[in-house]
Amino acid sequence: VTPMKAVLPAGRADRSNCAPVLPPPAPGPAQANEDEALRLVVEGTVAETGTEFFRALVRNLARALGTTGAWVTEYLPEQQRLRALAMWLHGRYVDHFEYAITGTACAAVVESKRIIHIPDRIIELYPADPDLVPANAVSYLGAPLLDTEGRVLGHLSVLDSKPMPAKPRLISLFEIFAARAAAEHRRLKTEREVRESEEQMSLLLATAMDAVL
C-alpha cells in the first residue's frame, strides 16, 4: 500500500524539517552596562553646554566606569598647568582645582597626545604627585583633548582607588566620553575666537569713527 502524503492548504509550507525560530538572545551584563553608559553620556549632556556640560560629563563618566573620580581640564601651555573645568571626586564636585603637570600622569597624556592607562600602583610611578595619596589613588586613565589642528586643549581623566584592568569595553566607553568632551572644548574655542574677533572689529570701527570726527 502506498503511503499517503499529507496535503497542506494553499500558501502553507511544510516546516516539519525546519529549525525552530528562536528569539534573539537577551543582552548580557557587559552589553547592558555599555548601553547604560551610553545612555548616561547622551542623556546627561545633551541639554547642557559649557560648564554645566562638563560637570554632567565627569559625574556620569565616573558612574559609567565605576571610578572614584573624573575630571576634564583646560591646558595652559605657558604655565605648564592644567585647570579643571569640572571635577568629580568621592561623590562630590571639587571646584577651583588647578595643578602643575610636572611629575604627574597627566603630563604624559599632554606630551604624548595619546591615551595613557596605568592599571595599578600609580603612586609608585609618580611619587612626586602630591594629590595621589590624599585621593587614595591606585589606577588612572587619561586622554588628550585636541583641536582640529592637533593642539592640546586639555584632557579628560579618571582615577580609581582600586586596580583598573585594561578591558576593551572600559577603554571604548572612555573614548566615547573623551570624544564628547573634545567636541565641546572645540565648540567653546570657536565661540571664544568669534567673540574676540567681533570685539576687535568693534574697536577698530570705533577708532576709525573717532578719527573721522
Side-chain angles (χ1 to χ4, degrees), residues 3-65:
M4 294 181 63
K5 183 177 181 180
V7 179
L8 298 175
R12 294 281 299 277
D14 183 359
R15 298 181 180 274
S16 58
N17 295 323
C18 295
V21 178
L22 300 176
Q31 181 64 45
N33 289 340
E34 185 169 348
D35 291 344
E36 173 65 10
L38 291 175
R39 185 188 67 78
L40 285 173
V41 70
V42 173
E43 292 185 4
T45 59
V46 68
E48 307 293 351
T49 59
T51 300
E52 292 307 313
F53 170 91
F54 290 126
R55 286 170 71 88
L57 186 91
V58 295
R59 182 187 68 244
N60 289 339
L61 174 58
R63 287 176 59 191
L65 300 189

Side-chain angles (χ1 to χ4, degrees), residues 19 41 48 52 57 65 82 90 107 125 130 159 163 168 181 191 202 206 210-211:
V41 70
E48 307 293 351
E52 292 307 313
L57 186 91
L65 300 189
L82 288 167
H90 297 301
L125 294 173
L159 194 72
E191 187 179 84
S202 296
D210 289 342

Side-chain angles (χ1 to χ4, degrees), residues 77-153:
E78 294 183 1
Q79 295 91 346
Q80 287 289 289
R81 297 178 68 83
L82 288 167
R83 177 183 298 150
L85 300 174
M87 186 174 192
W88 179 263
L89 186 66
H90 297 301
R92 64 180 182 88
Y93 288 109
V94 177
D95 297 322
H96 311 298
F97 186 71
E98 183 178 322
Y99 58 103
I101 66 172
T102 303
T104 69
C106 302
V109 174
V110 170
E111 293 167 0
S112 68
K113 297 183 181 181
R114 62 185 179 87
I115 289 180
I116 298 295
H117 178 218
I118 301 171
D120 201 353
R121 305 169 70 176
I122 186 174
I123 292 176
E124 295 180 25
L125 294 173
Y126 295 94
D129 187 337
D131 298 312
L132 295 179
V133 172
N136 297 318
V138 173
S139 54
Y140 172 94
L141 181 62
L145 307 178
L146 308 177
D147 66 13
T148 54
E149 297 179 357
R151 292 174 297 202
V152 178
L153 296 171

